[in-house]
């Protein structure tokens, strides 16, 4: 919004010319989202406590979690609010991709909110049925994927990490892949959010990595030099990713161990849905499996555990899935699991960025 208000005045006030730069607007989007989170965090925590919007802890989980009963949840509302305000303030609102990613963030956030609300109403850790939730998520992701498919400026080629010459064109199949990535990312982040800061840390690192990818994909010269797909307009997604980084760090201030607030499904689903959408729109779809490797490992641990549990009549591969609970039950202290997962996320992000040159 600021761009549309002030840049046109740059003929009269030349210093307003700075607002044309994505880098500057990304920096201030990050700072704005961070400040909103810092300032509103304590207020929201108090409000949720007053409204008794506290986490229900399952009996069959790690014993150490029982003391978390009643921790304020739905903190994802703060993340979504900070990101939305900051993005609308600092990005160019005439770029379709901004509205697409905001729609997914709010849409998946609404699905998560309904799940959280149902858990609170039932006073149990069971929310809306998995099927209803999945149908809603697929409906949102499918709509977005079709909108992108029908956009003449958006390619249905898939970027394969390490191979610049291999760009398979999936045609309408891209709609299926895009839907899978968005819904998969949302649920992978959701599964991972089981320890203090365990989801927001890697998610913030992922958005920081895609901040770079979006900037490169939106710059015709640099994308040409790196031989990565140029997608006109995705440069503005740099601003959104900056807002996500700011909101993520701001939320982590209160979600770090011992957490004063949980993000809830409203947060985990919106973060993951937004991340999957960014990966698709920047044409860095597959590399999300590297950048978001922590989310992939967490999800695979669940798939293997549940699968083996069923085929082996109740035997387990892990002491408990997802893998963060397995490590807890092996004796790793919660902060040790969390920080080590952050370190792995940083390493994966660096590897992912390196693939831009290793191709
Ligand atoms: C999402 N939610 C946390 C919080 C957060 C199939 C099965 C693997 C599904 C899985 C599941 O239910 N996943 C749901 C994970 C929950 O966190 C809430 O949910 C939001 C995110 N969606 O924002 O509101 C609990 O996680 C802890 N937590 C923190 N700090 C945080 O910052 O400590 C969350 C955020 C919170 C709190 O305790 O209550 C969750 O874990 O449910 N189920 C599981 O993950 C369960 N595993 C399991 O059932 N394993 C079995 C299956 C696979 C056969 C097995 O391995 O034998 C575990 N989760 C819980 N208890 N709570 C174990 C049992």
């Amino acid at each position: 919004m600021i761009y549309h208000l002030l840049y046109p005045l740059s003929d009269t006030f030349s210093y307003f010319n700075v607002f044309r730069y994505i880098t500057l607007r990304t920096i201030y989007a990050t700072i704005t989202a961070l400040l909103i989170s810092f300032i509103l965090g304590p207020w929201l925590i108090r409000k949720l406590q007053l409204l008794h919007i506290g986490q229900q802890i399952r009996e069959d989980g790690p014993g150490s979690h029982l003391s978390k009963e009643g921790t304020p949840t739905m903190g994802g509302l703060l993340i979504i609010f900070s990101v939305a305000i900051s993005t609308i303030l600092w990005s160019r609102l005439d770029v379709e991709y901004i509205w697409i990613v905001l729609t997914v963030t709010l849409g998946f956030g609404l699905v998560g909110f309904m799940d959280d609300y149902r858990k609170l109403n039932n006073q149990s850790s069971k929310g809306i049925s998995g099927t209803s939730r999945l149908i809603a998520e697929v409906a949102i992701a499918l709509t977005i994927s079709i909108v992108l498919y029908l956009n003449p400026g958006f390619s249905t080629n898939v970027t394969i990490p390490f191979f610049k010459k291999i760009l398979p064109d999936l045609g309408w199949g891209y709609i299926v892949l895009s839907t899978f990535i968005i819904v998969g990312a949302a649920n992978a982040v959701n599964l991972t959010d089981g320890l203090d800061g365990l989801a927001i840390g890697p998610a913030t690192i992922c958005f920081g990595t895609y901040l770079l990818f979006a900037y490169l994909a939106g710059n015709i010269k640099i994308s040409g030099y790196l031989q990565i797909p140029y997608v006109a307009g995705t440069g503005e997604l740099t601003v959104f990713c900056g807002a996500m980084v700011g909101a993520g760090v701001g939320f982590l201030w209160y979600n770090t161990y011992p957490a004063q607030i949980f993000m809830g499904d409203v947060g985990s689903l919106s973060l993951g849905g937004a991340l999957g959408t960014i990966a698709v729109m920047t044409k860095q779809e597959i590399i999300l499996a590297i950048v978001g490797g922590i989310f992939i490992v967490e999800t695979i641990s669940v798939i293997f555990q549940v699968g083996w549990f069923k085929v082996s009549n109740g035997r387990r591969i892990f002491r408990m899935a997802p893998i963060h609970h397995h490590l807890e039950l092996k004796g790793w202290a919660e902060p040790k699991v969390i920080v080590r997962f952050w370190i792995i996320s940083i390493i994966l992000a660096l590897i992912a960025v390196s693939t831009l040159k290793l191709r």
Side-chain angles (χ1 to χ4, degrees), residues 50 52 116 172 194:
L50 282 173
H52 300 295
D116 289 331
W172 63 265

Side-chain angles (χ1 to χ4, degrees), residues 327-349:
L327 295 171
E328 275 192 296
L329 295 178
K330 277 193 70 174
W332 289 29
E334 182 171 351
K336 187 179 284 263
V337 179
I338 297 159
V339 175
R340 286 180 172 177
F341 275 36
W342 292 350
I343 293 168
I344 294 167
S345 272
I346 291 168
I347 293 167
L348 290 171

Side-chain angles (χ1 to χ4, degrees), residues 55 73-76 112 116 190 193 251 262-269:
Q55 186 67 49
T73 187
M74 288 203 200
D116 289 331
N190 181 50
D193 193 30
F251 180 73
F262 296 156
M263 69 171 72
D265 287 27
V266 61
S268 57
L269 291 181

